[in-house]
């Protein structure tokens, strides 16, 4: 019986580490996208200028949200995935605020703006 409890305890810790890693990856990607997007917002786009790379980073953020959703680690059902898509492809500031709050609750508030 003690052996089973030790095994279950190990799995639990491993599962928690896995969830934390998924959230860290997601929040890191979201923060990078925000930084790229904010660099564009801070400086008006000039003819022939770049978009700061935000458009190129959007698929990686959505992919990380899909992993959270697919693994069942999305705390709000499909909300993080839906809100991520709305934020990075539709400039939905309310949706962005909700996913930033999710990163805060996951313990990665310093990775996002």
């Amino acid at each position: 019986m003690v052996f089973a409890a030790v095994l279950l305890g190990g799995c639990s810790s491993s599962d928690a580490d896995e969830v934390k890693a998924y959230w860290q990856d997601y929040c890191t990607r979201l923060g990078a996208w925000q930084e790229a997007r904010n660099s564009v917002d801070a400086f008006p786009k000039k003819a022939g200028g770049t978009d700061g790379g935000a458009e190129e980073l959007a698929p990686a953020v959505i992919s990380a949200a899909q992993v959270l959703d697919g693994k069942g680690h999305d705390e709000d059902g499909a909300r993080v995935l839906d809100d991520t898509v709305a934020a990075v492809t539709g400039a939905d500031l309310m949706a962005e605020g909700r996913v930033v709050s999710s990163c805060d609750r996951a313990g990665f508030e310093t990775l996002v703006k």
Side-chain angles (χ1 to χ4, degrees):
M1 193 66 119
V2 173
F3 181 70
V6 170
L7 284 179
L8 290 175
C11 291
S12 176
S13 175
S14 177
D15 290 346
D17 290 344
E18 180 180 87
V19 170
K20 186 173 182 173
Y22 289 135
W23 274 105
Q24 183 175 18
D25 179 57
Y26 170 74
C27 297
T28 299
R29 291 176 190 227
L30 179 63
W33 173 84
Q34 287 178 311
E35 187 174 312
R37 189 265 329 265
N38 290 347
S39 72
V40 173
D41 290 346
F43 303 100
K45 191 172 181 180
K46 298 177 184 173
T50 66
D51 70 353
E55 191 173 320
E56 290 82 15
L57 293 173
V61 181
I62 292 169
S63 176
Q66 288 172 325
V67 169
L68 283 171
D69 184 58
K71 297 281 188 178
H73 299 309
D74 182 351
E75 66 185 21
D76 299 321
R79 182 150 218 151
V80 169
L81 177 57
D82 293 343
D83 283 343
T84 299
V85 171
V88 302
T89 64
D92 183 332
L93 295 178
M94 297 291 285
E96 184 177 346
R98 288 188 295 267
V99 293
V100 166
S101 291
S102 292
C103 285
D104 290 351
R105 285 189 300 275
F108 297 105
E109 61 278 349
T110 61
L111 298 177
V112 292
K113 316 284 181 256

